[in-house]
Amino acid sequence: MRSLARAITGMELPAIEKISESQADDPFQILIATLLSARTQDATTHAASTRLFRRARTPRTMARLPVAEIETLIYPVSFYRNKARHVKACCEMLRSRFGGQVPGTLQELVTLPGVGRKTANLVMILAFKSGEHICVDTHVHRISNRMGWVRTAQPEDTEQALYKATDRRWWPLINLYLVTWGQNVCRPVYPRCGDCAIAKLCPRIGVTVYVRS
Ligand code: SF4
């Protein structure tokens, strides 16, 4: 992780990190941007979130938007119709059950429409500065298996395995480091092992084809 911290210096940050920084860690905007980001390119997530937040910045104002308008604002994020419905339902629940505030526990967050463990963990880390959570997405799952930190078939298992395999002080940083690394170097196909700053530390488990340099 120390080597990764050095290696990612200067690389472009994932969209949610940028939104988190630019919105002064506003839990609501982090929650909504994370909902939009699933299976969507970073640049698309960033642009869609910006359009949506320009129109509404709180659960109350966003809950008043018709689903069709949310769809238009967030298009072309993937599954934009489903996500628009989730965004509206999520805002309505924040209003009716949580007093218009984003709840600060994982157990409450996963009761919101469209919010799974990945989103809830990221909100806990970025918005509430929790040191007790690891957010596992496809990059974290892939790279921690390639590195041999865990041996898991599903991202859901990877989260629990990483709690056991890694030092607690790194938990809130694992997502930032591995997502950045996964987008730039340790890509899903043709990872750039030849140019990888941590190649000496990596057994490349499961990697059969890679870019040599
Ligand atoms: S050596 Fe290859 S597989 Fe290992 S972290 Fe680097 S890019 Fe990924």
Side-chain angles (χ1 to χ4, degrees):
M1 288 294 283
R2 274 196 296 275
S3 300
L4 267 178
R6 281 193 295 274
I8 65 169
T9 303
M11 287 182 179
E12 187 149 356
L13 292 175
I16 305 300
E17 296 282 340
K18 278 193 222 151
I19 290 164
S20 169
E21 283 183 359
S22 65
Q23 303 306 330
D25 301 328
D26 173 53
F28 175 64
Q29 294 192 29
I30 292 169
L31 170 66
I32 297 298
T34 309
L35 268 178
L36 298 185
S37 72
R39 299 196 186 198
T40 300
Q41 298 273 336
D42 264 24
T44 307
T45 300
H46 197 255
S49 306
T50 304
R51 284 193 299 275
L52 184 59
F53 298 148
R54 235 183 252 139
R55 185 75 181 79
R57 306 182 78 85
T58 67
R60 280 175 218 288
T61 51
M62 204 172 283
R64 284 202 286 266
L65 298 179
V67 170
E69 184 176 354
I70 300 174
E71 284 178 6
T72 305
L73 288 164
I74 66 175
Y75 181 85
V77 300
S78 54
F79 310 111
Y80 67 96
R81 288 185 200 278
N82 273 346
K83 287 178 181 174
R85 280 208 313 277
H86 282 148
V87 164
K88 182 161 175 95
C90 187
C91 291
E92 284 169 348
M93 190 182 281
L94 288 175
R95 239 178 24 167
S96 62
R97 278 196 42 203
F98 297 106
Q101 302 293 318
V102 175
T105 69
L106 189 89
Q107 291 71 20
E108 290 172 310
L109 282 167
V110 295
T111 66
L112 294 167
V115 176
R117 283 191 74 87
K118 185 183 75 142
T119 299
N121 276 319
L122 199 56
V123 171
M124 289 306 300
I125 292 166
L126 293 178
F128 296 108
K129 306 299 170 208
S130 168
E132 302 295 311
H133 296 81
I134 299 175
C135 172
V136 174
D137 72 348
T138 176
H139 295 291
V140 174
H141 173 64
R142 179 181 72 254
I143 299 173
S144 49
N145 272 281
R146 284 178 175 173
M147 295 282 294
W149 295 351
V150 299
R151 189 169 288 218
T152 51
Q154 301 297 330
E156 303 78 57
D157 303 325
T158 303
E159 183 192 337
Q160 299 309 320
L162 280 172
Y163 287 126
K164 295 189 189 121
T166 57
D167 191 300
R168 177 178 285 261
R169 73 192 148 130
W170 297 113
W171 290 358
L173 294 169
I174 285 175
N175 185 270
L176 169 62
Y177 288 11
L178 297 194
V179 172
T180 307
W181 202 239
Q183 289 174 341
N184 289 279
V185 181
C186 194
R187 301 175 301 204
V189 290
Y190 298 115
R192 294 168 48 203
C193 300
D195 295 326
C196 178
I198 57 169
K200 286 200 177 92
L201 303 167
C202 179
R204 293 205 288 262
I205 293 169
V207 176
T208 51
V209 183
Y210 58 88
V211 180
R212 288 171 195 277
S213 68

